[in-house]
Structure formats: C-alpha cells, structure tokens
Amino acid sequence: ALRYDPSLDEDTEENKGKRLEAIYACPVSSLTESEDNKLFGYCVSCGKCVNECKEDARNFQVISWDGEVNNDCISCGICAELCPQDAITLRKGAINVDLDKCIMCETCGIHCPTDAIPKTTSVKYEISGGFNYIDENLCVKCGLCKDICPEEAIYTVDISNDEANLGTKNKNLRFVVDDDKCIYCGACMNICPSKSFIFEREFNRVN
C-alpha cells in the first residue's frame, strides 16, 4: 500500500511544485491538493508519484493483519457491513476475517468507532449521526439489543395492559431507543434476530 508523510511536505513554493509533479504523475488523476496544501485522493498504488517525489515523502509499506481485534471491539458490525470483499462476518458477537479475501484496504479500521481494528493509514472516519427505531410489529422482545448496546441506549417501557403481547417473552415490555444516548454503531441492528430495526448511519471524515 502507498503511504504519504505530510510532515515532509511543508508549504513552500518549491514543495508546491513537487506536489504538482506528483499530481501530474497520477495515471488515474485521483490526487489533488487539499485546502491546507496537502495531497489527498484515492490511490491505486501504482507508485508513479513515489518515483516523482524528491523528498521521499511517499513510499510503499508492506501491510499485514492476522484478523485479530483488541478488547475495545463492541461487536457493532460496521467492519462487516463496509468490507468491499465481504471478508468479514459477525458471528455470535465476534468478527471473523477471511484472510484469503482480505485485500488490506483498511476500510474496516478506518471506520471502526473504537479503533479495535489496527490500521496504518492516518485516514479516519467517525459516525456523525443517524436514525434508529425499533419496529414494534417485528420485535420479538428477546432483549439481545438491550444487552449488547455499549451505551445503554435501549430501555424498556411497561405495556402490561397491552393484550397483544400476552404469551411472548418480556410480554409486558416495549424496547425503545434513546436518541440522546445512541451512537449509531449498529450493534443492536446486527444482533437482532427479527430484523426489527429501521436504521441509518452517516460518517464524517475527521482526518
């Protein structure tokens, strides 16, 4: 993978010319300058900008991953949702990685809300908002969502007078999402056996 060290690319007229050389060398025209005069863009790892760079600010690194995550993992499933190769699956609250499918794009680590997945790039996306609602008609009241929520954002409401719930587990309870606490990680949605969550999530690049 291609990595870029912005500390070697100070904002001088000389370096500006060097940045332009790297931009012009890009065969897919994906490299551009940001507002703070840094290079950014989608990289296809061809290496042409590496050859053009006179300051060795761009180089190739050998990246490896054994598929392990640290204890900060909250089983949200974002990594499995976003993996472009379907190399990650979420089973019984734990992620499993098919290393034969993994292309080391680091999309999982870039979007991991707890940094439980290692990455080498400085690029980072954070959850900026979303929508989370439990469809009462589909909910089987198993309580798995409440148990797995890392923010305790799911609470119950007493509906003991609702005869429609007689004969079901937790029949006197309705599960509700607290919007003020929810971080839209998606752990509840991914563990729900009845797919009762109406869920949306937005990301914002922070680095």
Side-chain angles (χ1 to χ4, degrees):
L2 187 63
R3 293 291 175 258
Y4 165 59
D5 183 357
S7 66
L8 300 178
D9 200 5
E10 297 179 0
D11 187 20
T12 64
E13 287 299 319
E14 181 181 2
N15 282 341
K16 183 176 182 179
K18 294 174 182 177
R19 286 196 297 273
L20 290 177
E21 289 178 3
I23 290 174
Y24 295 150
C26 180
V28 293
S29 301
S30 69
L31 291 179
T32 57
E33 279 189 292
S34 63
E35 293 182 357
D36 56 353
N37 297 320
K38 302 298 183 183
L39 281 179
F40 74 98
Y42 179 76
C43 178
V44 296
S45 298
C46 69
K48 290 190 176 182
C49 63
V50 175
N51 295 330
E52 291 292 333
C53 181
K54 305 300 190 298
E55 300 296 326
D56 294 328
R58 298 161 190 86
N59 58 77
F60 282 99
Q61 294 180 357
V62 177
I63 301 174
S64 62
W65 181 36
D66 59 5
E68 296 295 321
V69 300
N70 64 37
N71 293 331
D72 292 329
C73 177
I74 57 175
S75 303
C76 64
I78 289 177
C79 54
E81 292 175 42
L82 299 182
C83 179
Q85 298 298 112
D86 293 327
I88 302 177
T89 54
L90 185 65
R91 298 174 183 172
K92 297 182 179 180
I95 70 167
N96 293 271
V97 182
D98 186 338
L99 296 177
D100 291 331
K101 290 183 178 180
C102 179
I103 59 174
M104 300 305 302
C105 65
E106 299 194 332
T107 298
C108 53
I110 289 171
H111 291 84
C112 179
T114 61
D115 294 323
I117 300 176
K119 64 183 180 70
T120 61
T121 176
S122 61
V123 176
K124 183 64 181 178
Y125 280 80
E126 290 184 351
I127 300 171
S128 59
F131 177 82
N132 196 5
Y133 176 77
I134 302 174
D135 187 337
E136 185 66 18
N137 294 320
L138 296 177
C139 179
V140 295
K141 306 180 187 299
C142 64
L144 291 175
C145 57
K146 186 174 184 294
D147 293 337
I148 201 172
C149 180
E151 300 297 318
E152 298 182 351
I154 297 179
Y155 63 96
T156 55
V157 176
D158 187 353
I159 52 171
S160 55
N161 294 325
D162 190 343
E163 295 183 359
N165 293 285
L166 295 178
T168 63
K169 183 181 179 181
N170 294 322
K171 62 183 179 181
N172 296 328
L173 300 176
R174 173 179 291 135
F175 291 83
V176 182
V177 178
D178 186 337
D179 292 331
D180 293 331
K181 291 184 177 181
C182 181
I183 60 173
Y184 308 105
C185 66
C188 54
M189 174 189 65
N190 284 306
I191 203 171
C192 179
S194 61
K195 307 300 180 185
S196 62
F197 282 83
I198 301 173
F199 184 88
E200 293 181 4
R201 182 199 298 115
E202 297 177 352
F203 287 98
N204 181 49
R205 180 168 177 169
V206 295
N207 189 18

